[in-house]
Amino acid sequence: MRINDQITLADWELSEQFTRASGPGGQNVNKVSTAVELRFEAERSPNLTDPIKRRLKRLAGRRWTLEGAIVIFVQDTRSQARNREIARERLAELILKAVEKPKFRVKTKPTRGSVKRRLVAKKVRGDVKKLRGKVEE
């Protein structure tokens, strides 16, 4: 499976298991295994670098197993082939998101002038609200 120019997943890294799906399908739902469970051995993959694996683990969340595999379960359509395509697309999207290196954020401090303006605005607003009370005679 080809993700981009640098990353191609081997057949041994992916395994699919088909089960009966809930949802649309009528009586067919009880007979045909249309849901797909795609399992990708991410931790053992030689095509992914360690930083990509760390980001992938964070992005995958609870889909990441203790063995270091990503499990994607799809039962969106009545078609087994379409569910299989959707699962592979979702895996590819997840890996592409992990490949993107996040921007390094430089922490900045507000200027003294902006802090002063904010505090003055807060004081003015508070004074306006104080004037809304009942008038004492």
Side-chain angles (χ1 to χ4, degrees):
M1 183 174 151
R2 190 176 181 83
I3 305 298
N4 64 13
D5 296 338
Q6 291 85 22
I7 299 172
T8 305
L9 305 180
D11 289 337
W12 66 266
E13 296 176 89
L14 298 171
S15 61
E16 293 171 331
Q17 192 173 5
F18 299 99
T19 56
R20 291 190 186 140
S22 62
Q27 291 178 356
N28 208 37
V29 116
N30 303 321
K31 296 182 283 186
V32 183
S33 298
T34 55
V36 65
E37 184 182 276
L38 179 68
R39 189 177 176 90
F40 168 55
E41 299 296 334
E43 194 67 51
R44 299 186 318 163
S45 178
N47 301 314
L48 303 177
T49 61
D50 285 336
I52 292 175
K53 286 179 186 175
R54 282 196 300 273
R55 288 193 293 268
L56 192 58
K57 184 176 182 177
R58 189 171 38 81
L59 288 169
R62 52 180 234 159
R63 292 177 289 191
W64 187 275
T65 64
L66 294 173
E67 298 89 44
I70 294 175
V71 178
I72 297 175
F73 186 77
V74 179
Q75 59 179 3
D76 295 356
T77 67
R78 295 180 185 191
S79 164
Q80 187 184 78
R82 183 66 189 123
N83 282 337
R84 193 174 177 203
E85 285 174 28
I86 292 169
R88 286 174 176 258
E89 287 167 10
R90 287 183 187 169
L91 177 64
E93 285 173 20
L94 198 64
I95 293 171
L96 285 173
K97 228 182 257 183
V99 169
E100 286 177 25
K101 198 173 179 185
K103 274 188 179 177
F104 180 72
R105 185 184 179 277
V106 179
K107 291 182 181 178
T108 57
K109 201 173 167 186
T111 61
R112 189 176 292 158
S114 69
V115 171
K116 205 172 197 176
R117 283 190 299 273
R118 182 179 64 86
L119 293 175
V120 167
K122 281 170 69 84
K123 182 72 179 146
V124 168
R125 190 79 191 127
D127 291 342
V128 167
K129 287 185 175 187
K130 257 186 208 155
L131 294 172
R132 287 188 192 151
K134 290 183 180 176
V135 179
E136 293 178 16
E137 294 179 32

